[in-house]
């Protein structure tokens, strides 16, 4: 043995020793990381002053420039909490957030100390939603459990311009306009009443109170994708089965109510000389085309609309979208709105509610599949609807105010007179993009309306003016 070892020489010994040390280090690192040892967190930990509950406080950068996430986790097994909140370079904002966090934490700890036997937990989670270049919505969801049936879910939101540090309120968002607030309140209320998941759980009086047009009713909001979302607490407007309700209003629906910085891009909605937004006296009209898409007529209509830079709404049948998905895509690509018009055009009021929803849902998914975007409005065939249908359909149910009877007369010359004789502001005009005569008569209609000073908008854009 001794002889062999001597033959190996000191260099080999040294290399072997090095190998052993390296392997041991690798194994240790693996074990430690599996046990989620976070050296950074440990080094950042400190004892917080809050009622002397020991906690680990750590700050990490986020995927969003200038936004950091603070994590505060209790070390006290009797008083557990896990809290996440945002931090920016703006002290005023940070103080506002910290005020909310500290209040929540202190109240919880005080309750837990009062009742030594209580089992409790506090969780505050954070979601961050960027909007445009430098706007951020922060949604803090607080789940508080104080033992027994003492359980509550509440939401607090912050909306900031991270460039200026300014916190943006709902007043700023709605141009400080009480009329805009009223329209918004009506939209939020209607959305809640139509929400399939919660409408049976709604508490009528509480709902009416929580959706009164008061600024304070709407200060929990976020812009998520292209929707303005409003948050309600658990039990605030509905029984516990509904959870904490969220209302999502597409920005396109409330675009005219919003301050200019928050409106969605004009090229997507209003390409023609956008008027001062929210002007109720502006002349506008929504042209609608039902029963398509049609491989020839729809395309002709799109070309005429382009000529006048007009936007319109196409209520499509699922059974036809199935055959002409590329035409549906073209309609969307050229800036128009797409609505759901059922699968194969039955009289919905003669169907069971289950059949009605099947008509709606199959078409909704066919449209979604074709254009990668949901239909934003619904029109029942023949305008045949009732309260149940209106309540169950999750998007606005839209009829019309001017019927051109194009399906009946099939005469290009008669299209304009029908519009002219019934013309009024904020009208919704019913036509069909399956009749050649409609495409042939459309140019005259657009020329006339344009000369009268009308702006051609989509149904979703005109709805807010019709609800006033
Ligand atoms: Zn129809």
């Amino acid at each position: 043995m001794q002889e062999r070892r001597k033959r190996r020489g000191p260099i080999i010994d040294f290399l072997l020793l090095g190998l052993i040390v390296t392997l041991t280090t690798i194994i240790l690192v693996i074990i430690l990381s599996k046990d989620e040892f976070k050296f950074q967190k440990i080094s950042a930990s400190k004892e917080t002053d809050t009622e002397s509950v020991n906690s680990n406080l750590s700050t990490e950068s986020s995927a969003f420039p200038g936004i950091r996430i603070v994590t505060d986790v209790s070390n006290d097994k009797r008083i557990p909490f896990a809290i996440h909140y945002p931090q920016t370079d703006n002290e005023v904002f940070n103080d506002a957030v910290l005020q909310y966090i500290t209040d929540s934490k202190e109240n919880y700890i005080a309750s837990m100390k009062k009742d030594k036997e209580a089992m409790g937990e506090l969780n505050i989670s954070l979601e961050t939603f960027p909007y445009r270049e430098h706007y951020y919505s922060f949604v803090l969801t607080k789940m508080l459990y104080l033992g027994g049936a003492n359980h509550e879910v509440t939401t607090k939101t912050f909306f900031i311009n991270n460039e200026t540090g300014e916190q943006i309120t709902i007043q700023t968002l709605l141009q400080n306009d009480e009329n805009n607030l009223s329209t918004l309140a009506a939209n939020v209320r209607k959305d809640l009443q139509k929400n399939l998941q919660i409408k049976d759980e709604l508490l009528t009086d509480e709902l009416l109170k929580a959706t009164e047009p008061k600024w304070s009713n709407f200060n929990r909001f976020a812009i998520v994708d292209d929707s303005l979302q409003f948050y309600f607490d658990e039990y605030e407007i509905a029984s516990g089965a509904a959870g904490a309700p969220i209302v999502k209003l597409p920005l396109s629906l409330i675009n005219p109510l919003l301050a200019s910085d928050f409106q969605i891009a004009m090229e997507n909605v209003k390409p023609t000389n956008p008027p001062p937004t929210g002007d109720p006296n502006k002349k506008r009209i929504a042209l609608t085309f039902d029963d398509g898409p049609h491989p020839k007529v729809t395309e002709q209509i799109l070309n005429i609309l382009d000529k006048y830079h007009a936007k319109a709404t196409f209520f499509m049948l699922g059974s036809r979208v199935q055959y002409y998905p590329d035409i549906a895509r073209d309609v969307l690509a050229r800036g128009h709105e797409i609505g759901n018009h059922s699968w194969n055009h039955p009289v919905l009021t003669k169907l069971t509610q289950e059949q009605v929803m099947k008509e709606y849902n199959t078409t909704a998914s066919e449209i979604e599949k074709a254009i990668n975007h949901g239909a934003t409005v619904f029109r029942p065939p023949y305008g045949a609807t009732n309260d149940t249908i209106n309540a169950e359909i999750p998007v606005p149910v839209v009829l019309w105010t001017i019927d051109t009877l194009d399906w009946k007369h099939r005469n290009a010359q008669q299209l304009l007179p029908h519009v002219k004789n019934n013309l009024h502001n904020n009208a919704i005009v019913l036509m069909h993009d399956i009749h050649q005569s409609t495409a042939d008569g459309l140019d005259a209609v657009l020329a006339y309306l344009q000369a009268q000073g009308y702006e051609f908008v989509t149904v979703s854009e005109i709805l807010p003016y019709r609800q006033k």
Side-chain angles (χ1 to χ4, degrees):
M1 284 295 283
Q2 226 170 356
E3 273 185 11
R4 259 191 222 164
R5 192 186 275 189
K6 271 183 182 163
R7 250 183 283 142
R8 215 163 50 201
I11 294 178
I12 303 280
D13 270 345
F14 185 73
L15 284 176
L16 275 174
L17 189 69
L19 189 67
I20 289 164
V21 169
T22 311
L23 282 174
T24 314
T25 311
I26 290 170
I27 290 165
L28 267 176
V29 165
I30 289 170
I31 290 171
L32 285 177
S33 61
K34 270 199 177 153
D35 285 351
E36 292 186 7
F37 270 79
K38 298 238 167 96
F39 294 107
Q40 266 187 332
K41 284 195 177 174
I42 289 169
S43 64
S45 105
K46 70 162 196 181
E47 197 174 312
T48 56
D49 296 324
T50 309
E51 304 259 335
S52 67
V53 167
N54 201 347
S55 71
N56 270 354
L57 197 66
S58 65
T59 305
E60 283 160 31
S61 60
S62 77
F64 308 106
I67 311 283
R68 295 174 296 279
I69 312 292
V70 183
T71 302
D72 186 5
V73 181
S74 167
N75 287 329
D76 185 336
K77 287 206 173 91
R78 235 272 305 159
I79 306 182
F81 59 79
I83 296 170
H84 304 270
Y85 57 92
Q87 195 182 69
T88 69
D89 297 330
N90 186 278
E91 285 311 313
V92 179
F93 168 78
N94 291 347
D95 286 349
V97 172
L98 206 55
Q99 182 69 55
Y100 169 73
I101 296 295
T102 309
D103 287 351
S104 301
K105 209 167 128 180
E106 280 178 359
N107 286 337
Y108 163 69
I109 292 170
S111 307
M112 291 300 287
K113 293 210 161 165
K114 212 190 284 172
D115 182 356
K116 302 270 183 222
E117 302 299 307
M119 296 272 291
E121 196 170 347
L122 170 68
N123 270 292
I124 300 181
S125 61
L126 167 69
E127 287 175 290
T128 305
F129 302 102
Y131 183 65
R132 300 270 162 87
E133 295 265 306
H134 42 251
Y135 292 108
Y136 288 95
S137 303
F138 299 105
V139 180
L140 292 159
T141 307
K142 174 162 80 181
M143 277 169 282
L144 176 65
Y145 178 65
L146 289 171
N150 270 320
H151 175 271
E152 60 175 68
V153 179
T154 52
T155 306
K156 170 87 179 167
T157 66
F158 295 91
F159 190 66
I160 58 157
N161 179 335
N162 199 33
E163 200 175 57
T164 62
E166 183 198 6
Q167 284 185 61
I168 290 152
T169 62
I170 189 67
Q171 285 97 320
T172 311
L173 206 64
L174 297 184
Q175 314 177 65
N176 260 307
D177 183 327
E178 300 275 341
N179 288 328
N180 288 349
L181 174 65
S182 299
T183 308
L184 179 93
N187 272 296
V188 170
R189 184 179 291 177
K190 192 172 167 214
D191 192 274
L192 284 162
Q193 286 165 336
K194 286 182 115 181
N195 186 320
L196 287 183
Q197 271 104 53
I198 63 165
K199 74 185 184 70
D200 294 337
E201 313 297 334
L202 288 174
L203 309 166
T204 313
D205 291 347
E206 283 81 350
L207 173 70
L208 294 182
K209 195 159 167 276
T211 54
E212 268 174 35
K214 286 182 187 166
W215 294 114
S216 58
N217 274 340
F218 298 94
N219 58 13
R220 289 159 296 170
F221 68 94
I223 295 184
V224 180
D225 298 327
D226 274 330
S227 291
L228 181 57
Q229 296 195 167
F230 291 94
Y231 298 83
F232 293 90
D233 294 342
E234 208 179 22
Y235 306 110
E236 184 180 354
I237 54 169
S239 65
I246 299 175
V247 171
K248 285 183 196 192
L249 298 180
L251 292 180
S252 58
L253 181 73
I254 50 167
N255 218 31
L257 311 180
L258 302 172
S260 57
D261 258 17
F262 306 99
Q263 291 190 335
I264 53 174
M266 288 304 179
E267 61 266 29
N268 293 339
V269 206
K270 294 185 182 183
T272 53
N273 319 313
T277 51
D279 175 2
N281 301 317
K282 170 92 182 109
K283 282 178 164 183
R284 55 179 83 73
I285 193 160
L287 304 179
T288 68
F289 299 92
D290 291 11
D291 299 0
H294 186 285
K296 185 165 157 243
V297 181
T298 305
E299 289 296 324
Q300 290 174 340
I301 287 176
L302 288 175
N303 291 338
I304 298 164
L305 291 170
D306 277 355
K307 181 177 157 190
Y308 291 89
H309 306 289
K311 292 297 167 250
T313 306
F314 291 76
F315 288 95
M316 298 181 177
L317 294 172
S319 58
R320 294 187 67 85
V321 173
Q322 191 180 30
Y323 292 113
Y324 307 112
D326 47 337
I327 296 180
R329 275 193 289 277
D330 196 22
V331 170
L332 185 78
R334 287 155 90 160
H336 305 289
E337 182 168 27
I338 292 183
N340 179 327
H341 192 42
S342 82
W343 185 262
N344 53 15
H345 217 270
V347 179
L348 297 181
T349 48
K350 291 186 178 166
L351 302 183
T352 65
Q353 194 54 30
E354 199 182 331
Q355 290 169 318
V356 169
M357 291 318 289
K358 199 180 163 203
E359 284 281 333
Y360 172 82
N361 287 320
T362 49
T363 304
S365 30
E366 196 65 40
I367 290 174
E368 179 96 46
K369 200 171 94 190
I371 66 173
N372 208 8
H373 191 284
T376 38
V377 280
F378 177 77
R379 174 174 284 164
Y382 317 100
T385 188
N386 56 38
D387 288 348
T388 315
I389 295 172
N390 292 346
E392 297 259 327
I393 300 285
V395 295
V397 175
V398 181
L399 302 181
W400 54 86
T401 64
I402 299 177
D403 188 352
T404 61
L405 298 175
D406 62 337
W407 55 274
K408 202 165 149 191
H409 55 68
R410 309 278 183 102
N411 182 336
Q413 263 62 51
Q414 287 199 33
L415 202 62
L416 177 56
H418 275 99
V419 174
K420 223 168 160 174
N421 296 338
N422 299 290
L423 191 56
H424 54 271
N425 198 13
N426 297 322
I428 300 176
V429 183
L430 172 64
M431 289 177 278
H432 295 82
D433 56 330
I434 51 167
H435 304 308
Q436 186 60 50
S437 53
T438 301
D440 293 342
L442 187 62
D443 197 298
V445 171
L446 284 158
Y448 175 79
L449 291 172
Q450 193 178 63
Q452 295 294 310
Y454 279 90
E455 186 196 2
F456 303 103
V457 300
T458 63
V459 154
S460 284
E461 288 172 282
I462 221 161
L463 284 180
Y465 297 99
R466 298 199 53 81
Q467 282 164 358
K468 268 192 181 177

